[in-house]
Amino acid sequence: MDFNYTPAEEQFRMELRAFLAEALPEGWGETVFLPEDEDEQAVFRLDWERKLYEGGWSCIGWPKEYGGRDATLSERAIYAEELARARAPELINIIGQNLAGHTIIHHGTPEQKARFLPGIISSREVWCQGFSEPNAGSDLASIKTRAELKGDKFIVNGQKIWTSFAQHSQWCLALVRTSNEGPRHKGISLLLIDMRSPGITLRPLRQISGENEFNETFFDDVEVPIENLLGPINEGWRITMTTLSYERGPEDALGRQVRIKQELDTLIAKTTELRNDGKRLIDDPLVRQKLGRSIAEVEIIRLNCLRALSRYLAGEDRGSDASILKLFWSEVGVRMSETAMDVLGPLATLNGDDPLAVGSGRWLTSWLQSKAFTIYAGSSEIQRNIIGERVLGLPR
Amino acid sequence: MNFNFDEDQRSLGETVAAVLADDAQLLAPDPVEAGTSKAWEALAELGLFSLLVPEDLGGAGFSLIDVSLAIEALGAGLAPPGIASTLVVTELLSRYGSDQLKARWLPGIATGELHAALAIQEVGSGPDPLSMRTAFVANGLSGTKMLVDGGSEADLFLVLAGSADGPAVVVIDAKADGVSCRAHDGLDPSSALAEVTFDNVAVGDDDILGGAAAADAVATLQDLGATVAAGMQIGIAARVLDISVEYAKVRVQFGQPIGAFQGIKHVCADLAVAVESGRSAAYYAFWAVAEDAPDRARAASMAKAYCGEVARDGCNRATQIHGGMGFTWELALHRYMRRARILEQAFGNSDWHYDRVTEQTVLANGHATRDEAVSV
């Protein structure tokens, strides 16, 4: 056991840190923030993704032949930490880079790799995820969006929901039903769908935070060429379940951790400034105990990730322990936001535009946003089922 | 960066678990005062007590990290807590004892012949290990300590005491004049808890750990003690989770094993996440204490606060999962609940450590720990 990094890893960290300092605007995260307007924000974030690519810091875990760095797990952990520490904008093309790219590298044809990977790594083409449907949420295998093979094309009909950033996406990685025979998860395929195809309609969905990150996506007789089938037909479920372990894995959770920790550190700083009845908030024992719990839990997210990465480095398979990481970080994130609202009290309920607002209303926004943590990428209840059945071996 | 234990470290943990499992009395429904139990002797034979002793004094010169999993196993197997206390004393003596003091005690500890105990808590001192009234004045130590595990069997005590130069850790021979011991009547007789009174017991300069750096020894005792207790707490939590999961697989109600019901399954899943998270906290604390990392105090407090809660929660949930059986004396689940509660009191409870986590973080983040606007 050793938590020190090797000189090569420290070197990697320093190179990345220097790049980030150079590439982000001066005063970033302190006086300069993301544009408030959602469209301007999208433009800014995509521009940032291209900067990362030009600097050689995009998709670092990909093999070198596809433009990545073949980064080790330790380097990926450092990468997640440093990007979050620099408060770098979160990726809009996260589905492309983490999910679609990864799946294409492992299951795509040489033609698909050549066609899609360069657009993904450079964020020239943004991807969205077409998995959930109005009647297929936690029960994802019950999807009904149909793809019928006619000649050399699939004809796709149905509806997807919660498609994040569909409005900015050129491509959709979609789970579609290609067979109604046999067990339902054996009749599902993965299609790469061009979002500019005729027959696709988007309807934005407003979130409880007021933002419009995701959409409903309707498919009416959308034609998809057969060469856009990813992996064998009717094998989409199996392929997706293996790639999803990356969506819930330690690389992802580490990035979440540092962002949650930044919120928490800013909160701690605030409690040393704000006063109730003349006394600093931090000097109230109740505040200290609540904060202490959050500090410990947030640090444990990081330690859980490092333990998982260490196991993978020692050759263990990525198993269902991704569910342990996801359940923990999401529940901790929600609790941390509740702590912030409790600690800041009445002032926490004010939006950034109110002159009395604390920290531009950031904790209010984070609190609302955090409610999604325990729902997306497999709800907490689904994670508990997975842990109960696959980790502990309890009966279904 | 590597969070894995190596083959030897894992194997030691498994061996300690196997040795403890051989002593059926440890987990029996009736808590028996452990004293010189079979397990003590078997672990001494295994060489457990020599591991932290420096090589030049007949030991193996191992690091705390090497025995982390063994300590977790001591918790899970409800080993007499005096075993872990003896390991804590060994580490402190090795780090802070004078050559003479080490030569006097460590060889006997290494063979398992001598048992050591930690005398820290007092009536009225609350959760803060440092708020004590026991003190030594003019080389005489006086005061009364409570909940000293293995107190009646101990050959030497490490006593936390005040002095004109601040708090110190003092080594006292149990046979010295003025030392008396009374067994407590309490929750967990298997912890062999005792009240120990020191009545003007002679203290030589050599008996103060760390000498001029006595404050370092005190701080290390706090962090080391909290970490070792956390390691045992997470061992308890992991064991009651295992027991509960096994029960949920075989206990049938409404025509199916109760583990198939989400009401039970999700409780087990939450506990599994808490146990893994507690392990992360405890293992990191072992490393931070072994390496004297800059965040040692915070790591130890995080582990003690979090693992304490997980152990408590685990015992409560395990009892609930077992239903009526869980409430019976005969099933012996109460043994874990009893031990967890004793460990919760040791080296500061969860609330006190969460407060300390905040204090350490405020300090590390560069904020003022005291309100400068309020002057007395």
Side-chain angles (χ1 to χ4, degrees), chain A residues 15-87:
Chain A
E15 267 176 47
L16 175 57
R17 199 173 280 183
F19 167 79
L20 292 171
E22 178 70 23
L24 286 163
E26 204 174 317
W28 181 254
E30 283 158 20
T31 51
V32 183
F33 301 95
L34 279 176
E36 297 256 331
D37 179 82
E38 283 186 52
D39 289 332
E40 284 176 41
Q41 196 184 105
V43 170
F44 184 93
R45 286 167 69 177
L46 286 170
D47 186 49
W48 168 248
E49 286 171 40
R50 282 164 202 145
K51 269 191 194 160
L52 279 176
Y53 168 67
E54 283 156 17
W57 292 103
S58 184
C59 301
I60 62 163
W62 286 16
K64 289 199 174 111
E65 58 174 313
Y66 305 125
R69 285 179 172 247
D70 254 328
T72 64
L73 288 171
S74 295
E75 286 169 345
R76 283 184 240 180
I78 293 169
Y79 182 83
E81 283 179 13
E82 288 300 318
L83 259 76
R85 183 171 289 130
R87 296 174 202 260

Side-chain angles (χ1 to χ4, degrees), chain A residues 94-110:
Chain A
I94 187 153
I95 295 297
Q97 302 203 342
N98 286 5
L99 202 61
H102 195 81
T103 315
I104 291 169
I105 286 172
H106 286 277
H107 303 281
T109 61

Side-chain angles (χ1 to χ4, degrees), chain B residues 126-187:
Chain B
D128 183 351
L130 279 188
S131 68
M132 68 277 182
R133 275 174 294 179
T134 297
F136 60 98
V137 197
N139 295 336
L141 177 84
S142 294
T144 301
K145 296 287 184 178
M146 68 182 295
L147 300 179
V148 178
D149 55 56
S152 311
E153 298 289 332
D155 300 289
L156 70 151
F157 295 102
L158 248 62
V159 186
L160 193 57
S163 79
D165 302 323
V169 185
V170 186
V171 183
I172 298 287
D173 187 335
K175 292 191 288 287
D177 287 342
V179 178
S180 58
C181 211
R182 174 186 73 80
H184 282 302
D185 184 0
L187 174 69

Side-chain angles (χ1 to χ4, degrees), chain B:
Chain B
M1 195 278 300
N2 173 18
F3 213 138
N4 293 322
F5 289 102
D6 66 27
E7 188 56 41
D8 290 342
Q9 292 161 342
R10 285 201 301 271
S11 157
L12 177 65
E14 286 159 17
T15 308
V16 167
V19 165
L20 294 171
D22 272 349
D23 188 350
Q25 198 184 63
L26 293 178
L27 302 177
D30 292 322
V32 176
E33 184 150 340
T36 350
S37 73
K38 218 170 106 185
W40 262 102
E41 283 163 29
L43 291 172
E45 211 165 295
L46 183 72
L48 180 70
F49 298 104
S50 71
L51 298 180
L52 295 175
V53 174
E55 285 174 89
D56 56 350
L57 292 165
F62 279 18
S63 137
L64 198 57
I65 299 166
D66 298 318
V67 299
S68 306
L69 293 178
I71 288 168
E72 185 178 333
L74 292 175
L78 297 183
I83 294 176
S85 295
T86 297
L87 295 176
V88 170
V89 169
T90 310
E91 177 77 5
L92 277 169
L93 273 171
S94 303
R95 286 201 199 190
Y96 297 102
S98 66
D99 288 345
Q100 200 189 340
L101 200 65
K102 285 196 274 198
R104 176 169 175 205
W105 295 112
L106 286 179
I109 288 176
T111 60
E113 187 191 327
L114 297 180
H115 295 187
L118 293 159
I120 294 170
Q121 301 183 77
E122 298 181 15
V123 175
S125 71
D128 183 351
L130 279 188
S131 68
M132 68 277 182
R133 275 174 294 179
T134 297
F136 60 98
V137 197
N139 295 336
L141 177 84
S142 294
T144 301
K145 296 287 184 178
M146 68 182 295
L147 300 179
V148 178
D149 55 56
S152 311
E153 298 289 332
D155 300 289
L156 70 151
F157 295 102
L158 248 62
V159 186
L160 193 57
S163 79
D165 302 323
V169 185
V170 186
V171 183
I172 298 287
D173 187 335
K175 292 191 288 287
D177 287 342
V179 178
S180 58
C181 211
R182 174 186 73 80
H184 282 302
D185 184 0
L187 174 69
D188 182 25
S190 72
S191 285
L193 298 164
E195 181 185 64
V196 182
T197 301
F198 303 93
D199 182 12
N200 200 26
V201 180
V203 176
D205 286 347
D206 215 40
D207 299 326
I208 298 161
L209 288 187
D216 289 349
V218 171
T220 302
L221 170 59
Q222 270 188 296
D223 295 339
L224 172 62
T227 298
V228 168
M232 290 196 287
Q233 285 170 320
I234 209 61
I236 288 177
R239 181 62 63 88
V240 294
L241 168 64
D242 286 348
I243 294 170
S244 301
V245 167
E246 286 318 303
Y247 185 72
K249 285 177 187 169
V250 297
R251 167 68 176 171
V252 174
Q253 288 286 274
F254 304 101
Q256 56 178 327
I258 59 170
F261 295 110
Q262 290 184 325
I264 301 291
K265 185 181 289 175
H266 286 193
V267 169
C268 292
D270 280 334
L271 197 48
V273 172
V275 165
E276 284 313 312
S277 300
R279 280 183 167 141
S280 297
Y283 298 164
Y284 181 73
F286 275 114
W287 181 82
V289 172
E291 297 283 310
D292 273 336
D295 61 344
R296 184 186 84 177
R298 199 177 76 141
S301 279
M302 273 177 27
K304 182 64 168 65
Y306 190 80
C307 296
E309 287 195 329
V310 176
R312 172 199 303 207
D313 197 37
C315 291
N316 291 343
R317 285 168 182 246
T319 305
Q320 182 71 21
I321 288 168
H322 282 79
M325 282 304 293
F327 192 63
T328 62
W329 183 270
E330 211 43 45
L331 193 76
L333 262 181
H334 65 106
R335 294 288 317 283
Y336 297 97
M337 194 185 279
R338 287 166 191 271
R339 182 61 63 80
R341 175 49 69 178
I342 296 298
L343 289 170
E344 173 67 15
Q345 302 305 320
F347 300 101
N349 62 14
S350 290
D351 289 342
W352 187 81
H353 279 287
Y354 276 131
D355 191 294
R356 188 167 178 248
V357 166
T358 300
E359 185 180 273
Q360 291 289 322
T361 305
V362 166
L363 196 68
N365 287 8
H367 306 299
T369 47
R370 284 181 203 289
D371 191 351
E372 281 140 4
V374 179
S375 52
V376 182

